[in-house]
Amino acid sequence: MKLGKSIVLAAMLSVGMAANASAEDIVVGSSLGLTGYGSITDGHWRDGMTIAIEAINEKGGVLGKKLKLVYEDNKSTPQQAVVVYRKMMSEDKAVVFDSGCISAGNFAAASFVTKAKLPMFLCSILPRLPDEQKWAFSFLPPPKFEVETRYEYLKKIGITKIGILGDPSPYGTIMRNIALAEAKAAGMDVVANESYQQEDSDFSVQIGRINASGGGAIIMIGQGNAVITTANNIKQLGLNKMLLLSSINERDLVLAAGKILGDQFMFPAPLIQVAQDDPSVITNPTTKAAVEDFFKRMKAKFGDIDPAQSSRAFDSIMMMAKAMEMAKSTDGEAVREAVEKIGHYDGVGASYDFSATQHVGVTKNPYAMAHVVNGKIAFKK
Amino acid sequence: MPSVVELVQSLVNGVGIGLVYGLIAIGFCVIYNASGIVNFAQGVFVMLGGMFAYSFLVTLKWPLALAAAASIIVVAGIGVLVQIFIIRPMWERKAPMFAIILATLAVQLLIEQIVILTMGDQPRTYPEFTLGGPLKLGPIAIGYQLFWVLGCGALMVVLLQLFFNKTRVGRALRACSQNREAAALLGIPVGGMLMLSFALSAGLGAAAGILITPTQYTAYSVGAPFGVNGFISAIIGGFGSAPAALAGGILLGVVQSAAIVVFGAGYKNVIALTVLLIVLLFFPKGLFGGLAKKH
């Protein structure tokens, strides 16, 4: 009898706790590649969301409720992303998603997330289908900006023969296609078009082919540790004049690649990544104050991590909160419509212009070419 | 059609990475021959070798030789701990072989997570052991690190051969590989030999990691691909002897490299696995398996 009462009491308590959790918190789900090739970028995306949520909750939260971040590791694979999205929907009762940069993972989950009418704020590119894009908001600057920044720089310094070295991820494939399509108009001649796999340990063959084809610069497409292998391989092949123009990348990675290749290495960088070493590059006083507050919070919580991803993650949560306030609701449909009505928004990582027809927030090229000087990131002059 | 220069350069690159695969394959063989266990944690020893070498060399600024020796000893110690705390208890409780092999896979994941939590997920690299280079032979470039890999790989194979053929302990280890029960009846401490095999294997993996890190990077995640390629190399060469495993590694490295030149990077593993299947179809004990048995 006593056992029976205990079970009933425990059941009542657990129901009560579950009801409390859903009544008090607004659960933001996040699928992140915390292990695997996306671990660094997605780790920073999580950090940016964390400090944004802390900042919002310090001021009383949203609609009188606290925001609560629930994140799961998708191991940088689409298969695991499907599992964790489903878990966060069914068990954690996430009302909105703010997920990392593993585009294949977000693509894989987009169909059932959008069927549930849950908005997706993404570090990655948008899913492919229009019905899915309707519910997704990308905080990633479009891949074309990375390509254009590098082409413009090469044109300026008089290098026109280039080789492409890209990974086969959805993001990489899109950027490669853009790079090939825009090359002619930018005055570039793509003399070699090579691929690599993230887990490969040597790219000498591909680099050698680019060199043998007369390429003066390698346009590397794809983020992650592979940039270090590429830099090492260029050095080992003795290609002292070959330039390596990587994709946007994490601070640790570009510093490591810059240390290996020196002036031969450069990359497109957003303002905030350079501002971490040289705050004077930000001249707008409003932006400067916001960025300083962001750096202060970030440093206190996580140290000197790369701000490129985390700042946009910070912005994504801030815009999510703003949309909920505007909608006076956390209902997916209402939040989605509110995001489309926010209009121009100046964040710490970039400026965004979402609308009903524009779900890629960054519409102006936020990059300029940067390089590594004495262990610090600086704009190329 | 690739040019001759491309093919020769790919051969050079393939030999370089293949030597590293070979060293990892030898590590697989040492444990397998002593116990019948396929140690799927072999790849993490490669990763740990690079990680510790970075810490000693770059962070603590120790001299290269000291940093390398210390890394090998530390990783060999980790190998011993794995044997003592995971393998030995299962072995003594007569756990099925598949369970022990599965446990080595769990060890790999466990060590990776520990590395993330304690050392972080940032990739690390350090300069080549001999600065400058590469050596240019016409249009062919050979990085100085390749000579280090070649020299150290050859030295380790020679030392292993001497160890297995000329020392009592080495011969005892070989006896275990041929018949563990008979070796135990002859008074050979089979458990101790198993521990030694883990130390040797981990040390070899660490050496491979120390040698390869300057040509790419090391991070918590590099162990698995190296482990897979080392395992394939061991199968191609046959689990019989160190030179056979090394040859298997070189063959795999060259095939992968040539596949990139001829078919593109996406086909690298397709071709490598096709070669593996062909080898298994026609030489089920590996290319050098039969040869090793005769000795």
Side-chain angles (χ1 to χ4, degrees), chain B residues 83-116:
Chain B
Q83 196 274 337
I84 290 173
F85 291 109
I86 312 290
I87 306 301
R88 187 194 284 174
M90 295 183 79
W91 182 269
E92 286 174 352
R93 289 182 180 91
K94 305 214 180 306
M97 190 53 77
F98 75 84
I100 298 177
I101 292 172
L102 205 62
T104 65
L105 201 59
V107 166
Q108 171 177 324
L109 299 172
L110 182 74
I111 292 177
E112 282 180 359
Q113 292 303 313
I114 291 171
V115 167
I116 292 174

PDB file of all heavy atoms in Angstrom, chain B residues 83-116:
ATOM      1  N   GLN B  83      45.406  -1.743 -21.064  1.00  0.00           N
ATOM      2  CA  GLN B  83      45.503  -3.200 -20.916  1.00  0.00           C
ATOM      3  C   GLN B  83      45.129  -3.628 -19.486  1.00  0.00           C
ATOM      4  O   GLN B  83      44.383  -4.581 -19.296  1.00  0.00           O
ATOM      5  CB  GLN B  83      46.934  -3.639 -21.268  1.00  0.00           C
ATOM      6  CG  GLN B  83      47.065  -5.131 -21.518  1.00  0.00           C
ATOM      7  CD  GLN B  83      47.288  -5.923 -20.231  1.00  0.00           C
ATOM      8  OE1 GLN B  83      47.752  -5.377 -19.238  1.00  0.00           O
ATOM      9  NE2 GLN B  83      46.932  -7.209 -20.256  1.00  0.00           N
ATOM     10  N   ILE B  84      45.644  -2.880 -18.506  1.00  0.00           N
ATOM     11  CA  ILE B  84      45.409  -3.281 -17.105  1.00  0.00           C
ATOM     12  C   ILE B  84      43.938  -3.123 -16.708  1.00  0.00           C
ATOM     13  O   ILE B  84      43.362  -4.007 -16.088  1.00  0.00           O
ATOM     14  CB  ILE B  84      46.304  -2.444 -16.157  1.00  0.00           C
ATOM     15  CG1 ILE B  84      47.772  -2.861 -16.331  1.00  0.00           C
ATOM     16  CG2 ILE B  84      45.887  -2.620 -14.699  1.00  0.00           C
ATOM     17  CD1 ILE B  84      48.757  -1.982 -15.572  1.00  0.00           C
ATOM     18  N   PHE B  85      43.363  -1.982 -17.074  1.00  0.00           N
ATOM     19  CA  PHE B  85      42.024  -1.682 -16.566  1.00  0.00           C
ATOM     20  C   PHE B  85      40.876  -2.162 -17.462  1.00  0.00           C
ATOM     21  O   PHE B  85      39.753  -2.305 -16.997  1.00  0.00           O
ATOM     22  CB  PHE B  85      41.880  -0.175 -16.309  1.00  0.00           C
ATOM     23  CG  PHE B  85      42.710   0.285 -15.146  1.00  0.00           C
ATOM     24  CD1 PHE B  85      43.831   1.060 -15.338  1.00  0.00           C
ATOM     25  CD2 PHE B  85      42.376  -0.088 -13.851  1.00  0.00           C
ATOM     26  CE1 PHE B  85      44.614   1.475 -14.270  1.00  0.00           C
ATOM     27  CE2 PHE B  85      43.151   0.310 -12.779  1.00  0.00           C
ATOM     28  CZ  PHE B  85      44.270   1.085 -12.981  1.00  0.00           C
ATOM     29  N   ILE B  86      41.142  -2.369 -18.728  1.00  0.00           N
ATOM     30  CA  ILE B  86      40.045  -2.769 -19.629  1.00  0.00           C
ATOM     31  C   ILE B  86      40.256  -4.192 -20.159  1.00  0.00           C
ATOM     32  O   ILE B  86      39.390  -5.050 -20.019  1.00  0.00           O
ATOM     33  CB  ILE B  86      39.923  -1.797 -20.843  1.00  0.00           C
ATOM     34  CG1 ILE B  86      39.928  -0.331 -20.387  1.00  0.00           C
ATOM     35  CG2 ILE B  86      38.685  -2.139 -21.680  1.00  0.00           C
ATOM     36  CD1 ILE B  86      38.707   0.130 -19.655  1.00  0.00           C
ATOM     37  N   ILE B  87      41.401  -4.398 -20.777  1.00  0.00           N
ATOM     38  CA  ILE B  87      41.600  -5.664 -21.494  1.00  0.00           C
ATOM     39  C   ILE B  87      41.820  -6.833 -20.527  1.00  0.00           C
ATOM     40  O   ILE B  87      41.184  -7.878 -20.651  1.00  0.00           O
ATOM     41  CB  ILE B  87      42.807  -5.549 -22.466  1.00  0.00           C
ATOM     42  CG1 ILE B  87      42.622  -4.332 -23.396  1.00  0.00           C
ATOM     43  CG2 ILE B  87      42.968  -6.842 -23.266  1.00  0.00           C
ATOM     44  CD1 ILE B  87      41.378  -4.353 -24.248  1.00  0.00           C
ATOM     45  N   ARG B  88      42.723  -6.633 -19.565  1.00  0.00           N
ATOM     46  CA  ARG B  88      43.053  -7.755 -18.680  1.00  0.00           C
ATOM     47  C   ARG B  88      41.843  -8.303 -17.922  1.00  0.00           C
ATOM     48  O   ARG B  88      41.623  -9.526 -17.916  1.00  0.00           O
ATOM     49  CB  ARG B  88      44.160  -7.359 -17.702  1.00  0.00           C
ATOM     50  CG  ARG B  88      44.636  -8.567 -16.886  1.00  0.00           C
ATOM     51  CD  ARG B  88      45.456  -8.155 -15.699  1.00  0.00           C
ATOM     52  NE  ARG B  88      46.789  -7.749 -16.077  1.00  0.00           N
ATOM     53  CZ  ARG B  88      47.669  -7.225 -15.216  1.00  0.00           C
ATOM     54  NH1 ARG B  88      47.325  -7.027 -13.949  1.00  0.00           N
ATOM     55  NH2 ARG B  88      48.877  -6.883 -15.616  1.00  0.00           N
ATOM     56  N   PRO B  89      41.022  -7.435 -17.302  1.00  0.00           N
ATOM     57  CA  PRO B  89      39.859  -7.991 -16.585  1.00  0.00           C
ATOM     58  C   PRO B  89      38.935  -8.791 -17.506  1.00  0.00           C
ATOM     59  O   PRO B  89      38.432  -9.843 -17.114  1.00  0.00           O
ATOM     60  CB  PRO B  89      39.144  -6.744 -16.046  1.00  0.00           C
ATOM     61  CG  PRO B  89      40.181  -5.687 -16.026  1.00  0.00           C
ATOM     62  CD  PRO B  89      41.107  -5.988 -17.144  1.00  0.00           C
ATOM     63  N   MET B  90      38.753  -8.289 -18.725  1.00  0.00           N
ATOM     64  CA  MET B  90      37.886  -9.010 -19.662  1.00  0.00           C
ATOM     65  C   MET B  90      38.536 -10.330 -20.070  1.00  0.00           C
ATOM     66  O   MET B  90      37.890 -11.364 -20.177  1.00  0.00           O
ATOM     67  CB  MET B  90      37.606  -8.148 -20.904  1.00  0.00           C
ATOM     68  CG  MET B  90      36.800  -6.893 -20.593  1.00  0.00           C
ATOM     69  SD  MET B  90      36.411  -5.934 -22.062  1.00  0.00           S
ATOM     70  CE  MET B  90      35.046  -6.870 -22.736  1.00  0.00           C
ATOM     71  N   TRP B  91      39.848 -10.249 -20.289  1.00  0.00           N
ATOM     72  CA  TRP B  91      40.623 -11.439 -20.706  1.00  0.00           C
ATOM     73  C   TRP B  91      40.522 -12.513 -19.619  1.00  0.00           C
ATOM     74  O   TRP B  91      40.286 -13.690 -19.910  1.00  0.00           O
ATOM     75  CB  TRP B  91      42.065 -10.985 -20.921  1.00  0.00           C
ATOM     76  CG  TRP B  91      43.023 -12.025 -21.402  1.00  0.00           C
ATOM     77  CD1 TRP B  91      43.796 -12.851 -20.639  1.00  0.00           C
ATOM     78  CD2 TRP B  91      43.319 -12.356 -22.753  1.00  0.00           C
ATOM     79  NE1 TRP B  91      44.560 -13.648 -21.423  1.00  0.00           N
ATOM     80  CE2 TRP B  91      44.290 -13.376 -22.738  1.00  0.00           C
ATOM     81  CE3 TRP B  91      42.856 -11.876 -23.983  1.00  0.00           C
ATOM     82  CZ2 TRP B  91      44.811 -13.930 -23.897  1.00  0.00           C
ATOM     83  CZ3 TRP B  91      43.391 -12.433 -25.145  1.00  0.00           C
ATOM     84  CH2 TRP B  91      44.350 -13.444 -25.094  1.00  0.00           C
ATOM     85  N   GLU B  92      40.713 -12.105 -18.357  1.00  0.00           N
ATOM     86  CA  GLU B  92      40.704 -13.068 -17.246  1.00  0.00           C
ATOM     87  C   GLU B  92      39.308 -13.648 -17.010  1.00  0.00           C
ATOM     88  O   GLU B  92      39.177 -14.760 -16.526  1.00  0.00           O
ATOM     89  CB  GLU B  92      41.230 -12.398 -15.967  1.00  0.00           C
ATOM     90  CG  GLU B  92      42.748 -12.207 -16.023  1.00  0.00           C
ATOM     91  CD  GLU B  92      43.297 -11.423 -14.861  1.00  0.00           C
ATOM     92  OE1 GLU B  92      42.496 -10.872 -14.067  1.00  0.00           O
ATOM     93  OE2 GLU B  92      44.532 -11.332 -14.757  1.00  0.00           O
ATOM     94  N   ARG B  93      38.292 -12.860 -17.337  1.00  0.00           N
ATOM     95  CA  ARG B  93      36.921 -13.378 -17.183  1.00  0.00           C
ATOM     96  C   ARG B  93      36.471 -14.138 -18.429  1.00  0.00           C
ATOM     97  O   ARG B  93      35.308 -14.463 -18.573  1.00  0.00           O
ATOM     98  CB  ARG B  93      35.954 -12.213 -16.908  1.00  0.00           C
ATOM     99  CG  ARG B  93      36.126 -11.610 -15.529  1.00  0.00           C
ATOM    100  CD  ARG B  93      35.117 -10.503 -15.271  1.00  0.00           C
ATOM    101  NE  ARG B  93      35.285  -9.944 -13.950  1.00  0.00           N
ATOM    102  CZ  ARG B  93      36.060  -8.896 -13.662  1.00  0.00           C
ATOM    103  NH1 ARG B  93      36.727  -8.297 -14.620  1.00  0.00           N
ATOM    104  NH2 ARG B  93      36.170  -8.446 -12.426  1.00  0.00           N
ATOM    105  N   LYS B  94      37.431 -14.357 -19.310  1.00  0.00           N
ATOM    106  CA  LYS B  94      37.188 -15.103 -20.553  1.00  0.00           C
ATOM    107  C   LYS B  94      36.033 -14.499 -21.371  1.00  0.00           C
ATOM    108  O   LYS B  94      35.136 -15.205 -21.868  1.00  0.00           O
ATOM    109  CB  LYS B  94      36.915 -16.578 -20.264  1.00  0.00           C
ATOM    110  CG  LYS B  94      38.021 -17.259 -19.441  1.00  0.00           C
ATOM    111  CD  LYS B  94      38.190 -18.692 -19.827  1.00  0.00           C
ATOM    112  CE  LYS B  94      39.291 -19.396 -19.027  1.00  0.00           C
ATOM    113  NZ  LYS B  94      40.595 -18.728 -19.072  1.00  0.00           N
ATOM    114  N   ALA B  95      36.056 -13.186 -21.481  1.00  0.00           N
ATOM    115  CA  ALA B  95      35.053 -12.496 -22.302  1.00  0.00           C
ATOM    116  C   ALA B  95      35.245 -12.895 -23.763  1.00  0.00           C
ATOM    117  O   ALA B  95      36.385 -13.153 -24.194  1.00  0.00           O
ATOM    118  CB  ALA B  95      35.216 -10.989 -22.161  1.00  0.00           C
ATOM    119  N   PRO B  96      34.163 -12.995 -24.536  1.00  0.00           N
ATOM    120  CA  PRO B  96      34.334 -13.343 -25.948  1.00  0.00           C
ATOM    121  C   PRO B  96      35.210 -12.301 -26.663  1.00  0.00           C
ATOM    122  O   PRO B  96      35.215 -11.125 -26.284  1.00  0.00           O
ATOM    123  CB  PRO B  96      32.909 -13.321 -26.505  1.00  0.00           C
ATOM    124  CG  PRO B  96      32.003 -13.018 -25.381  1.00  0.00           C
ATOM    125  CD  PRO B  96      32.790 -12.730 -24.166  1.00  0.00           C
ATOM    126  N   MET B  97      35.903 -12.770 -27.683  1.00  0.00           N
ATOM    127  CA  MET B  97      36.844 -11.874 -28.377  1.00  0.00           C
ATOM    128  C   MET B  97      36.144 -10.635 -28.947  1.00  0.00           C
ATOM    129  O   MET B  97      36.668  -9.529 -28.891  1.00  0.00           O
ATOM    130  CB  MET B  97      37.535 -12.659 -29.497  1.00  0.00           C
ATOM    131  CG  MET B  97      38.695 -11.923 -30.128  1.00  0.00           C
ATOM    132  SD  MET B  97      39.915 -11.357 -28.916  1.00  0.00           S
ATOM    133  CE  MET B  97      40.774 -12.862 -28.560  1.00  0.00           C
ATOM    134  N   PHE B  98      34.916 -10.850 -29.483  1.00  0.00           N
ATOM    135  CA  PHE B  98      34.231  -9.689 -30.075  1.00  0.00           C
ATOM    136  C   PHE B  98      33.939  -8.624 -29.016  1.00  0.00           C
ATOM    137  O   PHE B  98      33.955  -7.436 -29.293  1.00  0.00           O
ATOM    138  CB  PHE B  98      32.945 -10.124 -30.816  1.00  0.00           C
ATOM    139  CG  PHE B  98      31.790 -10.477 -29.923  1.00  0.00           C
ATOM    140  CD1 PHE B  98      30.942  -9.494 -29.434  1.00  0.00           C
ATOM    141  CD2 PHE B  98      31.533 -11.795 -29.565  1.00  0.00           C
ATOM    142  CE1 PHE B  98      29.874  -9.808 -28.616  1.00  0.00           C
ATOM    143  CE2 PHE B  98      30.478 -12.121 -28.753  1.00  0.00           C
ATOM    144  CZ  PHE B  98      29.636 -11.130 -28.262  1.00  0.00           C
ATOM    145  N   ALA B  99      33.710  -9.088 -27.762  1.00  0.00           N
ATOM    146  CA  ALA B  99      33.428  -8.117 -26.696  1.00  0.00           C
ATOM    147  C   ALA B  99      34.694  -7.311 -26.373  1.00  0.00           C
ATOM    148  O   ALA B  99      34.628  -6.095 -26.143  1.00  0.00           O
ATOM    149  CB  ALA B  99      32.934  -8.849 -25.457  1.00  0.00           C
ATOM    150  N   ILE B 100      35.830  -8.001 -26.376  1.00  0.00           N
ATOM    151  CA  ILE B 100      37.096  -7.296 -26.090  1.00  0.00           C
ATOM    152  C   ILE B 100      37.394  -6.289 -27.205  1.00  0.00           C
ATOM    153  O   ILE B 100      37.801  -5.150 -26.954  1.00  0.00           O
ATOM    154  CB  ILE B 100      38.258  -8.307 -25.934  1.00  0.00           C
ATOM    155  CG1 ILE B 100      37.978  -9.234 -24.743  1.00  0.00           C
ATOM    156  CG2 ILE B 100      39.582  -7.575 -25.738  1.00  0.00           C
ATOM    157  CD1 ILE B 100      39.019 -10.320 -24.529  1.00  0.00           C
ATOM    158  N   ILE B 101      37.159  -6.729 -28.433  1.00  0.00           N
ATOM    159  CA  ILE B 101      37.424  -5.826 -29.575  1.00  0.00           C
ATOM    160  C   ILE B 101      36.487  -4.609 -29.501  1.00  0.00           C
ATOM    161  O   ILE B 101      36.900  -3.468 -29.739  1.00  0.00           O
ATOM    162  CB  ILE B 101      37.262  -6.596 -30.910  1.00  0.00           C
ATOM    163  CG1 ILE B 101      38.396  -7.633 -31.025  1.00  0.00           C
ATOM    164  CG2 ILE B 101      37.298  -5.643 -32.097  1.00  0.00           C
ATOM    165  CD1 ILE B 101      38.259  -8.597 -32.180  1.00  0.00           C
ATOM    166  N   LEU B 102      35.247  -4.877 -29.132  1.00  0.00           N
ATOM    167  CA  LEU B 102      34.281  -3.772 -28.979  1.00  0.00           C
ATOM    168  C   LEU B 102      34.742  -2.819 -27.865  1.00  0.00           C
ATOM    169  O   LEU B 102      34.592  -1.597 -27.975  1.00  0.00           O
ATOM    170  CB  LEU B 102      32.901  -4.355 -28.642  1.00  0.00           C
ATOM    171  CG  LEU B 102      31.705  -3.495 -29.019  1.00  0.00           C
ATOM    172  CD1 LEU B 102      31.642  -3.266 -30.510  1.00  0.00           C
ATOM    173  CD2 LEU B 102      30.410  -4.145 -28.541  1.00  0.00           C
ATOM    174  N   ALA B 103      35.324  -3.401 -26.832  1.00  0.00           N
ATOM    175  CA  ALA B 103      35.819  -2.572 -25.720  1.00  0.00           C
ATOM    176  C   ALA B 103      36.930  -1.639 -26.196  1.00  0.00           C
ATOM    177  O   ALA B 103      37.023  -0.493 -25.749  1.00  0.00           O
ATOM    178  CB  ALA B 103      36.320  -3.461 -24.595  1.00  0.00           C
ATOM    179  N   THR B 104      37.770  -2.118 -27.120  1.00  0.00           N
ATOM    180  CA  THR B 104      38.847  -1.237 -27.630  1.00  0.00           C
ATOM    181  C   THR B 104      38.240  -0.055 -28.396  1.00  0.00           C
ATOM    182  O   THR B 104      38.775   1.047 -28.371  1.00  0.00           O
ATOM    183  CB  THR B 104      39.832  -2.001 -28.538  1.00  0.00           C
ATOM    184  OG1 THR B 104      39.167  -2.438 -29.724  1.00  0.00           O
ATOM    185  CG2 THR B 104      40.455  -3.183 -27.818  1.00  0.00           C
ATOM    186  N   LEU B 105      37.115  -0.318 -29.072  1.00  0.00           N
ATOM    187  CA  LEU B 105      36.427   0.765 -29.787  1.00  0.00           C
ATOM    188  C   LEU B 105      35.889   1.786 -28.783  1.00  0.00           C
ATOM    189  O   LEU B 105      35.985   3.008 -28.997  1.00  0.00           O
ATOM    190  CB  LEU B 105      35.275   0.167 -30.605  1.00  0.00           C
ATOM    191  CG  LEU B 105      34.743   0.980 -31.773  1.00  0.00           C
ATOM    192  CD1 LEU B 105      35.827   1.267 -32.783  1.00  0.00           C
ATOM    193  CD2 LEU B 105      33.599   0.239 -32.450  1.00  0.00           C
ATOM    194  N   ALA B 106      35.356   1.266 -27.676  1.00  0.00           N
ATOM    195  CA  ALA B 106      34.850   2.160 -26.625  1.00  0.00           C
ATOM    196  C   ALA B 106      36.003   2.973 -26.022  1.00  0.00           C
ATOM    197  O   ALA B 106      35.836   4.157 -25.712  1.00  0.00           O
ATOM    198  CB  ALA B 106      34.149   1.348 -25.542  1.00  0.00           C
ATOM    199  N   VAL B 107      37.160   2.326 -25.900  1.00  0.00           N
ATOM    200  CA  VAL B 107      38.338   3.037 -25.363  1.00  0.00           C
ATOM    201  C   VAL B 107      38.694   4.212 -26.262  1.00  0.00           C
ATOM    202  O   VAL B 107      39.010   5.311 -25.792  1.00  0.00           O
ATOM    203  CB  VAL B 107      39.535   2.064 -25.231  1.00  0.00           C
ATOM    204  CG1 VAL B 107      40.837   2.823 -25.007  1.00  0.00           C
ATOM    205  CG2 VAL B 107      39.303   1.090 -24.077  1.00  0.00           C
ATOM    206  N   GLN B 108      38.619   3.978 -27.574  1.00  0.00           N
ATOM    207  CA  GLN B 108      38.927   5.066 -28.509  1.00  0.00           C
ATOM    208  C   GLN B 108      38.005   6.263 -28.268  1.00  0.00           C
ATOM    209  O   GLN B 108      38.469   7.410 -28.136  1.00  0.00           O
ATOM    210  CB  GLN B 108      38.777   4.596 -29.953  1.00  0.00           C
ATOM    211  CG  GLN B 108      38.869   5.786 -30.914  1.00  0.00           C
ATOM    212  CD  GLN B 108      38.794   5.405 -32.365  1.00  0.00           C
ATOM    213  OE1 GLN B 108      39.300   4.375 -32.758  1.00  0.00           O
ATOM    214  NE2 GLN B 108      38.189   6.246 -33.162  1.00  0.00           N
ATOM    215  N   LEU B 109      36.703   6.001 -28.209  1.00  0.00           N
ATOM    216  CA  LEU B 109      35.737   7.087 -28.007  1.00  0.00           C
ATOM    217  C   LEU B 109      35.956   7.774 -26.663  1.00  0.00           C
ATOM    218  O   LEU B 109      35.890   9.003 -26.558  1.00  0.00           O
ATOM    219  CB  LEU B 109      34.304   6.558 -28.108  1.00  0.00           C
ATOM    220  CG  LEU B 109      33.929   5.935 -29.457  1.00  0.00           C
ATOM    221  CD1 LEU B 109      32.569   5.270 -29.392  1.00  0.00           C
ATOM    222  CD2 LEU B 109      33.943   7.002 -30.551  1.00  0.00           C
ATOM    223  N   LEU B 110      36.252   6.966 -25.661  1.00  0.00           N
ATOM    224  CA  LEU B 110      36.481   7.500 -24.311  1.00  0.00           C
ATOM    225  C   LEU B 110      37.692   8.439 -24.301  1.00  0.00           C
ATOM    226  O   LEU B 110      37.626   9.563 -23.785  1.00  0.00           O
ATOM    227  CB  LEU B 110      36.697   6.334 -23.338  1.00  0.00           C
ATOM    228  CG  LEU B 110      36.911   6.708 -21.886  1.00  0.00           C
ATOM    229  CD1 LEU B 110      35.599   7.160 -21.262  1.00  0.00           C
ATOM    230  CD2 LEU B 110      37.461   5.506 -21.095  1.00  0.00           C
ATOM    231  N   ILE B 111      38.780   7.972 -24.893  1.00  0.00           N
ATOM    232  CA  ILE B 111      39.996   8.798 -24.905  1.00  0.00           C
ATOM    233  C   ILE B 111      39.765  10.090 -25.698  1.00  0.00           C
ATOM    234  O   ILE B 111      40.206  11.165 -25.301  1.00  0.00           O
ATOM    235  CB  ILE B 111      41.202   8.000 -25.459  1.00  0.00           C
ATOM    236  CG1 ILE B 111      41.569   6.884 -24.472  1.00  0.00           C
ATOM    237  CG2 ILE B 111      42.405   8.908 -25.698  1.00  0.00           C
ATOM    238  CD1 ILE B 111      42.692   5.967 -24.916  1.00  0.00           C
ATOM    239  N   GLU B 112      39.044   9.978 -26.814  1.00  0.00           N
ATOM    240  CA  GLU B 112      38.745  11.187 -27.607  1.00  0.00           C
ATOM    241  C   GLU B 112      37.994  12.213 -26.751  1.00  0.00           C
ATOM    242  O   GLU B 112      38.306  13.408 -26.779  1.00  0.00           O
ATOM    243  CB  GLU B 112      37.902  10.819 -28.835  1.00  0.00           C
ATOM    244  CG  GLU B 112      38.701  10.207 -29.961  1.00  0.00           C
ATOM    245  CD  GLU B 112      37.845   9.862 -31.170  1.00  0.00           C
ATOM    246  OE1 GLU B 112      36.615  10.080 -31.126  1.00  0.00           O
ATOM    247  OE2 GLU B 112      38.409   9.358 -32.142  1.00  0.00           O
ATOM    248  N   GLN B 113      37.012  11.734 -26.013  1.00  0.00           N
ATOM    249  CA  GLN B 113      36.218  12.658 -25.186  1.00  0.00           C
ATOM    250  C   GLN B 113      37.079  13.258 -24.074  1.00  0.00           C
ATOM    251  O   GLN B 113      36.957  14.447 -23.761  1.00  0.00           O
ATOM    252  CB  GLN B 113      35.008  11.938 -24.585  1.00  0.00           C
ATOM    253  CG  GLN B 113      33.954  11.533 -25.608  1.00  0.00           C
ATOM    254  CD  GLN B 113      33.425  12.705 -26.422  1.00  0.00           C
ATOM    255  OE1 GLN B 113      33.082  13.741 -25.881  1.00  0.00           O
ATOM    256  NE2 GLN B 113      33.393  12.569 -27.735  1.00  0.00           N
ATOM    257  N   ILE B 114      37.949  12.440 -23.490  1.00  0.00           N
ATOM    258  CA  ILE B 114      38.828  12.954 -22.432  1.00  0.00           C
ATOM    259  C   ILE B 114      39.757  14.037 -23.002  1.00  0.00           C
ATOM    260  O   ILE B 114      39.994  15.069 -22.374  1.00  0.00           O
ATOM    261  CB  ILE B 114      39.652  11.802 -21.804  1.00  0.00           C
ATOM    262  CG1 ILE B 114      38.722  10.874 -21.010  1.00  0.00           C
ATOM    263  CG2 ILE B 114      40.751  12.343 -20.885  1.00  0.00           C
ATOM    264  CD1 ILE B 114      39.372   9.590 -20.521  1.00  0.00           C
ATOM    265  N   VAL B 115      40.242  13.797 -24.215  1.00  0.00           N
ATOM    266  CA  VAL B 115      41.124  14.784 -24.854  1.00  0.00           C
ATOM    267  C   VAL B 115      40.378  16.097 -25.100  1.00  0.00           C
ATOM    268  O   VAL B 115      40.903  17.185 -24.841  1.00  0.00           O
ATOM    269  CB  VAL B 115      41.721  14.222 -26.170  1.00  0.00           C
ATOM    270  CG1 VAL B 115      42.378  15.322 -26.996  1.00  0.00           C
ATOM    271  CG2 VAL B 115      42.732  13.131 -25.854  1.00  0.00           C
ATOM    272  N   ILE B 116      39.124  15.995 -25.576  1.00  0.00           N
ATOM    273  CA  ILE B 116      38.332  17.218 -25.807  1.00  0.00           C
ATOM    274  C   ILE B 116      38.175  17.990 -24.498  1.00  0.00           C
ATOM    275  O   ILE B 116      38.366  19.214 -24.451  1.00  0.00           O
ATOM    276  CB  ILE B 116      36.933  16.880 -26.372  1.00  0.00           C
ATOM    277  CG1 ILE B 116      37.047  16.331 -27.785  1.00  0.00           C
ATOM    278  CG2 ILE B 116      36.040  18.124 -26.391  1.00  0.00           C
ATOM    279  CD1 ILE B 116      35.727  15.853 -28.352  1.00  0.00           C
TER     280      ILE B 116
END
